[in-house]
């Protein structure tokens, strides 16, 4: 991950990433490409909100790519924190790790990689644009996953993995890869929460 994104995440989410006595100049060392930056930031934002509301102590210990998906390791918290990171892992397989556009996990010469159609080749020739955080995605993802965790509790990860007729047979974790999908999930759960039929 490039240094600008690393510094931004370290500054914004320092209490989640570093012990109190760490230098202000410390970098965390995210071991993945820039395409997952928004997904990582949305997950950290969600965890920060949940830890503040519930007075939980959580430390993220490692963030890396493994077998074509994002892995976020942590200690502390409760089952909702682990579920949030499990959901992010599932979503990452639907996001190109290079550019952040919708994609899928593919096998390239024996390597599992999350790629969009434009970046499917091992030695792709397309220029990757500099990353600018998508605030609309960050906000919609955080809201949707927070509501999923609150609504389904221990069953949240299972719920996002199963095909849903109301979403045309799509799995919710696939939809969480885009702002529009996040909003559709949030709207559905809000309607259910208020007893409005689908």
């Amino acid at each position: 991950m490039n240094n600008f994104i690393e510094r931004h995440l370290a500054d914004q989410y320092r209490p989640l990433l570093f012990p109190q006595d760490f230098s202000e100049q410390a970098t965390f060392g995210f071991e993945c490409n820039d395409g997952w930056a928004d997904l990582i930031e949305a997950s950290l934002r969600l965890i920060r909100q949940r830890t503040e509301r519930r007075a939980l102590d959580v430390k993220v210990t490692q963030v890396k790519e493994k077998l074509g998906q994002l892995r976020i390791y942590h200690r502390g918290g409760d089952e909702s924190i682990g579920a949030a990171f499990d959901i992010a892992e599932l979503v990452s397989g639907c996001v190109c790790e290079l550019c952040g556009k919708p994609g899928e996990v593919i096998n390239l010469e024996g390597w599992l990689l999350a790629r969009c159609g434009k970046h499917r080749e091992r030695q792709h020739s397309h220029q990757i644009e500099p990353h600018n955080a998508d605030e609309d995605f960050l906000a919609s993802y955080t809201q949707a996953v927070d509501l999923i965790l609150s609504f389904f509790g221990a069953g949240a990860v299972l719920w996002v993995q199963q095909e849903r007729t109301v979403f045309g047979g799509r799995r919710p974790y696939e939809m969480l890869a885009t702002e529009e999908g996040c909003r559709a999930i949030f709207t559905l759960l809000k309607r259910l929460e208020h007893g409005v039929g689908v």
Side-chain angles (χ1 to χ4, degrees):
M1 187 174 282
N2 80 50
N3 290 339
F4 176 79
I5 298 171
E6 290 244 5
R7 282 195 301 272
H8 167 74
L9 293 173
D11 289 345
Q12 293 295 312
Y13 304 98
R14 184 163 296 281
L16 288 175
L17 301 174
F18 301 103
Q20 285 183 331
D21 58 351
F22 255 55
S23 158
E24 289 291 319
Q25 303 304 316
T27 56
F28 183 75
F30 294 88
E31 302 170 54
C32 60
N33 288 304
D34 295 355
W36 287 335
D38 283 348
L39 181 58
I40 293 168
E41 181 162 8
S43 298
L44 293 175
R45 184 180 291 185
L46 171 64
I47 298 310
R48 181 175 63 193
Q49 290 173 0
R50 292 185 79 83
T51 57
E52 288 172 357
R53 280 197 312 250
R54 298 173 177 215
L56 298 173
D57 181 28
V58 174
K59 284 289 182 268
V60 174
T61 57
Q62 188 177 31
V63 178
K64 68 178 189 174
E65 179 276 333
K66 184 175 181 181
L67 301 175
Q69 291 183 301
L70 177 67
R71 300 292 202 273
I72 303 176
Y73 300 100
H74 73 286
R75 66 174 190 275
D78 60 15
E79 68 180 15
S80 74
I81 303 301
F85 290 141
D86 289 344
I87 290 170
E89 178 182 326
L90 291 166
V91 174
S92 70
C94 303
V95 176
C96 178
E97 63 187 304
L98 297 179
C99 69
K101 301 271 192 281
E104 63 183 342
V105 175
I106 61 170
N107 187 322
L108 275 180
E109 300 170 14
W111 295 93
L112 294 175
L113 305 166
R115 297 290 172 87
C116 64
K118 187 176 178 181
H119 297 119
R120 291 180 79 84
E121 300 171 22
R122 185 86 176 134
Q123 300 298 329
H124 60 84
S125 58
H126 304 287
Q127 181 70 24
I128 297 173
E129 304 207 2
H131 174 78
N132 292 311
D134 181 347
E135 185 56 43
D136 292 334
F137 173 77
L138 296 176
S140 61
Y141 180 91
T142 302
Q143 285 183 324
V145 176
D146 191 41
L147 191 54
I148 290 168
L149 295 170
S150 297
F151 206 86
F152 296 104
V157 177
L158 181 61
W159 186 81
V160 301
Q161 290 178 301
Q162 295 177 336
E163 293 178 358
R164 299 289 162 193
T165 305
V166 70
F167 298 132
R170 294 182 70 196
R171 292 173 175 88
Y173 76 80
E174 298 166 336
M175 298 177 64
L176 288 167
T178 66
E179 177 194 346
E180 297 78 18
C182 292
R183 278 198 253 128
I185 290 170
F186 182 80
T187 300
L188 170 73
L189 295 182
K190 274 298 186 187
R191 291 180 61 137
L192 293 174
E193 186 178 57
H194 291 95
V196 179
V198 180

